[in-house]
Amino acid sequence: MAAPKPCLIHAGKEDEVCDAESAQQVYREVRHIYGLYGAEEKAELFIDDCPHEYSARMANRTVEWMNKWIAADPQPLLPLTDADLFYADPEHLLCHPSARVNYYTLNQQEAARLEKQREENSQTPDGLREAVRKTLSLEGNYDAVGEWISLIDIPVWSHSLYGVDLALPGEVHLPGLLLKRTQAKKMPALL
């Protein structure tokens, strides 16, 4: 959609979200499209030796790129180093909704109401199990025995992916996928 406007794509060799190989594939496709406009030189891929972040070297390449394609009177590059970067404390990055009533606040109020209702109705695992059975109109014992198989060797960003096989009575097996936060505390879940 942007062709033939100048397009600089950044990627990190160690990026755990969008790996460098995927970025190279995107770049090949972008370069092909730009070639149709006779503008292949207006598309570039810059891969840095970093994880999922915007590095000082990426910032420097961006300034060089903008000086080449956008600046009417380019100024000399004053390169950044990693030591020049500072990172905001995590609490400064938190976003808070408006204090006015909106969809977010309405959903937040409803979630609080439902949480209180759940606490009152099913404070134990047996109570929760009974509430699920009643809601789904299930009769009998449906306790599943689960087996998890890790599908990836290392967490991707902050998540892990598992194959799940739930064995039910009568030799019934329900396969599934479970994506969960790697560092999450143990919490109840309904699969």
Side-chain angles (χ1 to χ4, degrees):
M1 287 172 43
K5 294 179 181 177
C7 175
L8 174 61
I9 302 168
H10 288 299
K13 285 183 184 175
E14 305 300 322
D15 193 327
E16 60 273 11
V17 178
C18 180
D19 60 75
E21 185 178 312
S22 298
Q24 290 169 342
Q25 177 60 37
V26 168
Y27 173 65
R28 286 191 290 273
E29 294 170 8
V30 166
R31 191 163 167 83
H32 170 74
I33 292 168
Y34 273 62
L36 299 175
Y37 288 90
E40 289 175 314
E41 78 284 358
K42 290 185 177 181
E44 181 182 308
L45 172 63
F46 180 81
I47 299 178
D48 194 10
D49 190 15
C50 64
H52 185 73
E53 65 184 25
Y54 187 67
S55 68
R57 289 167 297 285
M58 288 177 179
N60 292 334
R61 184 62 195 121
T62 300
V63 171
E64 293 170 345
W65 182 260
M66 292 181 149
N67 274 343
K68 178 179 179 180
W69 294 108
I70 298 173
D73 183 23
Q75 300 299 310
L77 175 67
L78 300 172
L80 290 173
T81 66
D82 289 333
D84 296 320
L85 301 178
F86 69 92
Y87 298 93
D89 293 330
E91 59 268 12
H92 294 303
L93 301 176
L94 298 175
C95 298
H96 299 284
S98 166
R100 296 182 314 196
V101 174
N102 56 42
Y103 284 117
Y104 177 85
T105 60
L106 292 172
N107 283 321
Q108 190 179 39
Q109 290 170 3
E110 180 64 5
R113 184 190 70 76
L114 290 171
E115 182 179 27
K116 183 177 179 186
Q117 178 183 341
R118 280 191 296 273
E119 288 173 359
E120 292 170 356
N121 292 341
S122 27
Q123 293 187 9
T124 66
D126 290 335
L128 179 59
R129 191 175 296 115
E130 194 54 43
V132 169
R133 283 191 180 128
K134 182 178 177 184
T135 301
L136 299 178
S137 301
L138 298 175
E139 295 178 12
N141 187 356
Y142 285 86
D143 291 335
V145 176
E147 178 179 328
W148 292 19
I149 302 165
S150 179
L151 297 179
I152 55 176
D153 293 334
I154 58 170
V156 175
W157 208 352
S158 61
H159 295 85
S160 296
L161 181 65
Y162 297 91
V164 180
D165 178 24
L166 297 179
L168 297 173
E171 297 186 28
V172 175
H173 290 266
L174 297 176
L177 293 175
L178 174 64
L179 180 68
K180 73 178 203 75
R181 292 187 65 87
T182 303
Q183 301 299 327
K185 297 184 294 185
K186 185 175 180 181
M187 299 179 72
L190 174 63
L191 176 65

